Amino acid sequence: MNTEQVAHRLVELCRKGEYEQAQRELYAQDAVSIEMPGAPAGALGNAKGLEAIYEKGRKWAEGVEAVHASNVSAPIVAGNWFSTAFSMDMTFKGRGRTQIEEIGVYHVRDGKVVSEQFFYDMG
């Protein structure tokens, strides 16, 4: 797959809520997942390697009580990179209802995502 194909498939799966399936299909074994520097307490932090990324996703899902709305934008592709915007209206266990807006930036090499990094306001 080229970068555009990877990007569109990732968006397709994320729109269905099939995040782990997206990782299984599209991520390299040594991929990294990077959160914002100085993320608040309770944030899941960075992960290196596909198994660690799966676990990060599972921990995220365990903290979600309800998803009220979710949207994933069409990807913007530039060379071996793409980005997409995520917006989520969710209720987290013990934290209440929250609206999240973030940008995911992905690097693709040899047809696989080798890194993802998320950007969002903290506070």
Side-chain angles (χ1 to χ4, degrees), residues 48-108:
K48 183 173 183 177
L50 203 46
E51 289 301 323
I53 292 172
Y54 295 154
E55 184 60 24
K56 179 181 173 183
R58 290 178 192 129
K59 285 182 182 176
W60 166 267
E62 288 171 4
V64 174
E65 186 174 308
V67 178
H68 308 288
S70 179
N71 184 56
V72 183
S73 74
I76 298 173
V77 179
N80 293 318
W81 297 84
F82 71 93
S83 65
T84 189
F86 297 89
S87 61
M88 296 162 271
D89 179 3
M90 309 174 90
T91 298
F92 289 94
K93 295 174 184 171
R95 290 190 3 214
R97 192 165 176 171
T98 305
Q99 284 74 42
I100 300 169
E101 301 279 338
E102 69 182 8
I103 298 288
V105 178
Y106 301 83
H107 185 204
V108 177

